[in-house]
């Protein structure tokens, strides 16, 4: 895995991580967006003391409420312009990589290049499944 903090072409910075791993050193984020089920929230969400939101998003799959997930990803991008933010799932690769690819699109990376861009700048396994990669492309189609 590369640096946990990704700097996008528009200058926004977002820390990606896995909740199952020890928290990175350094200051706590101002805001976090967490991706998982109620089980993950119960097991790993207790140490999150800063403002945050959860997206119900089962491992290896897609968000339970896609429109709400898109709204939260856009809001995270807006916050990243003025705050320190992070996004995380259990392992920090599939769902986190999918959101980072969507953030790359919002930052100006062409949709067809977003997953490759995140794999280069964050983790080579980002957006693990074919349906996660497809969701990234559909994310761009639904931005308007």
């Amino acid at each position: 895995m590369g640096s946990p903090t990704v700097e996008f072409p528009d200058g926004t910075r977002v820390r990606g991580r896995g909740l199952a791993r020890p928290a990175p050193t350094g200051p706590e984020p101002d805001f976090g967006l967490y991706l998982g089920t109620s089980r993950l929230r119960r097991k790993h969400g207790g140490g999150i003391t800063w403002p945050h939101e959860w997206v119900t998003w089962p491992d290896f799959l897609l968000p339970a409420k896609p429109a709400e997930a898109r709204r939260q990803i856009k809001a995270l991008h807006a916050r990243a312009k003025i705050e320190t933010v992070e996004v995380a799932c259990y392992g920090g690769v599939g769902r986190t990589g999918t959101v980072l690819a969507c953030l790359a699109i919002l930052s100006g990376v062409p949709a067809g290049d977003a997953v490759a861009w995140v794999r280069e700048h964050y983790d080579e396994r980002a957006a693990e499944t074919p349906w996660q990669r497809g969701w990234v492309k559909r994310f761009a189609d639904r931005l308007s």
Side-chain angles (χ1 to χ4, degrees), residues 19-91:
L19 293 171
R21 300 183 186 133
T25 58
E28 293 180 347
D30 297 315
F31 180 80
L33 183 62
Y34 302 101
L35 319 164
T37 61
S38 58
R39 181 174 175 233
L40 180 67
R41 192 178 313 180
R42 283 191 307 274
K43 187 171 182 179
H44 294 282
I48 301 170
T49 58
W50 47 87
H52 63 279
E53 291 183 5
W54 282 87
V55 175
T56 301
W57 193 328
D59 201 9
F60 300 109
L61 299 175
L62 299 176
K65 297 180 180 177
E68 180 63 16
R70 283 190 300 276
R71 182 199 65 77
Q72 289 174 296
I73 293 166
K74 288 184 210 176
L76 184 68
H77 182 252
R79 288 184 102 125
K81 293 177 182 183
I82 56 172
E83 297 177 338
T84 301
V85 301
E86 77 172 7
V87 61
C89 62
Y90 180 77

Side-chain angles (χ1 to χ4, degrees), residues 6 12 70 135:
V6 177
T12 57
R70 283 190 300 276
W135 199 79

